[in-house]
Amino acid sequence: QVKLVQSGPEVKKPGVSVKVSCAASGYGFTNFGFSWVRQAPGQGLEWMGWISAYDGSSHHAQRFQNRITMTTDASTNTAYMELRSLGSDDTAMYYCARDRITVPGNKDYWGQGTLVTVS
Amino acid sequence: QSVLTQPPSVSAAPGQKVTISCSGSRSNIGNNFVSWYHQVPGTAPKLLIYDNSKRPSGIPDRFSGSKSDTSATLGITGLQTGDEADYYCGTWDSGLSAWVFGGGTKVTVL
């Protein structure tokens, strides 16, 4: 069955970077893409960006311009999201979600979430 | 301020029906497919409806989706206590070149 397993919780100081991983199994890794979605405490879902595991093409939300890097590694079936220059408002649960291969669309499977605390 | 507008909350008694609206514009709902997600607090979101009205395998037919012009609607019939969750609509916004979510709607079973 499809599974997305994310890396563990992180505590970071303001100004540094965090890199979250998302290990996929149970399907053809390069046949899909990944979206990264975060949720601040008590808030709604916020889409951060999408990457195709097929060709590495990507889109990201404008507010993360120059701060986010998304990558995939087909040799380990793992997607990564790095967020730089962390601030306290980046404290949130970060989710990876399986997405469409060519453009962002339905997010049909989700990881369990990675809590990132900036303090 | 979300690009897609949802009511903050809806409620109904067990067995009743609720509908959740998701209002957008021509650049998002008007020209792209809508999907719906539900999230029990403390857990990851789950896909409920995709391509406006399709249900993934395992989602009961009590859940339905529709779209008209620049608005989408999620319907839940035969409401159960287990349906208490937050529900989010989402779609691609061609003007922003970004995926957008609604602000979320909390469903309460009275």
Side-chain angles (χ1 to χ4, degrees), chain A residues 28-41:
Chain A
F29 183 78
T30 55
N31 292 333
F32 291 85
F34 290 89
S35 267
W36 290 90
V37 176
R38 76 178 187 180
Q39 186 171 36

Side-chain angles (χ1 to χ4, degrees), chain A residues 9-16 18 20 37-44 46 48 63-64 67 81 83-95 114-119:
Chain A
E10 303 265 11
V11 179
K12 296 292 185 180
K13 296 288 188 187
V16 304
V18 68
V20 179
V37 176
R38 76 178 187 180
Q39 186 171 36
Q43 302 301 307
E46 179 180 24
M48 300 178 69
R63 66 172 293 178
F64 299 107
R67 281 216 298 148
M81 186 283 298
L83 191 63
R84 298 179 290 279
S85 301
L86 292 171
S88 58
D89 58 349
D90 292 315
T91 293
M93 185 70 80
Y94 289 75
Y95 296 101
T114 296
L115 181 62
V116 175
T117 303
V118 183
S119 174

Side-chain angles (χ1 to χ4, degrees), chain B residues 26-106:
Chain B
R26 197 159 305 281
S27 67
N28 43 66
I29 293 178
N31 281 289
N32 295 289
F33 286 118
V34 176
S35 49
W36 290 88
Y37 305 84
H38 73 152
Q39 183 183 34
V40 175
T43 68
K46 182 179 178 182
L47 179 66
L48 201 58
I49 296 288
Y50 68 99
D51 291 358
N52 302 333
S53 59
K54 298 176 182 177
R55 283 177 287 106
S57 172
I59 300 299
D61 59 7
R62 299 188 298 107
F63 296 90
S64 64
S66 64
K67 189 182 96 166
S68 177
D69 197 15
T70 60
S71 291
T73 301
L74 174 72
I76 310 174
T77 60
L79 203 59
Q80 302 175 2
T81 55
D83 297 331
E84 287 201 330
D86 297 315
Y87 292 78
Y88 296 89
C89 57
T91 188
W92 180 250
D93 190 300
S94 307
L96 297 173
S97 289
W99 182 269
V100 290
F101 285 107
T105 299
K106 182 176 182 62

